[in-house]
Amino acid sequence: MAWIVLLFSGVLETVWASALHASKGLSRPLPTAVFGVAVLLSMGGLSYALRTLPLGTGYAVWVAVGTVGTALYGMFALGEPVTVFRALFLAMIVGGVVGLKLAH
């Protein structure tokens, strides 16, 4: 269960990062509210998952899911460039996290 909560919390990290961008410096009420709720739920889920998962592995997975999700959101929803190098380095992040999970 902790792994599922951790992955969901990582997805929420993507949500809050995207909402923070859309809030334009916390000046737009709806994206700011989405940011606030998502960051609280994301941190709460991370906190719950770290009750049973090792700190280093749990935090790395949470950050990686949020990082990769946010980068993909930027590329596919915001029109940021999609390059071979970006895809390669995102795949390296995923590979590193899978390695950490297997080492757990």
Side-chain angles (χ1 to χ4, degrees):
M1 181 63 153
W3 284 106
I4 293 169
V5 170
L6 183 64
L7 292 174
F8 183 70
S9 296
V11 170
L12 284 171
E13 186 181 1
T14 297
V15 171
W16 68 252
S18 302
L20 182 61
H21 172 57
S23 77
K24 306 291 185 204
L26 304 177
S27 66
R28 297 176 61 211
L30 182 58
T32 299
V34 170
F35 163 74
V37 170
V39 77
L40 288 173
L41 291 173
S42 180
M43 293 286 183
L46 174 64
S47 175
Y48 172 82
L50 291 180
R51 291 179 185 173
T52 56
L53 300 176
L55 172 65
T57 302
Y59 183 72
V61 168
W62 180 74
V63 169
V65 170
T67 299
V68 171
T70 303
L72 292 174
Y73 176 79
M75 288 187 281
F76 293 106
L78 302 178
E80 295 176 3
V82 179
T83 67
V84 172
F85 285 117
R86 288 185 95 176
L88 174 67
F89 293 128
L90 290 172
M92 289 171 65
I93 292 170
V94 171
V97 168
V98 168
L100 283 173
K101 168 63 171 105
L102 294 174
H104 171 69

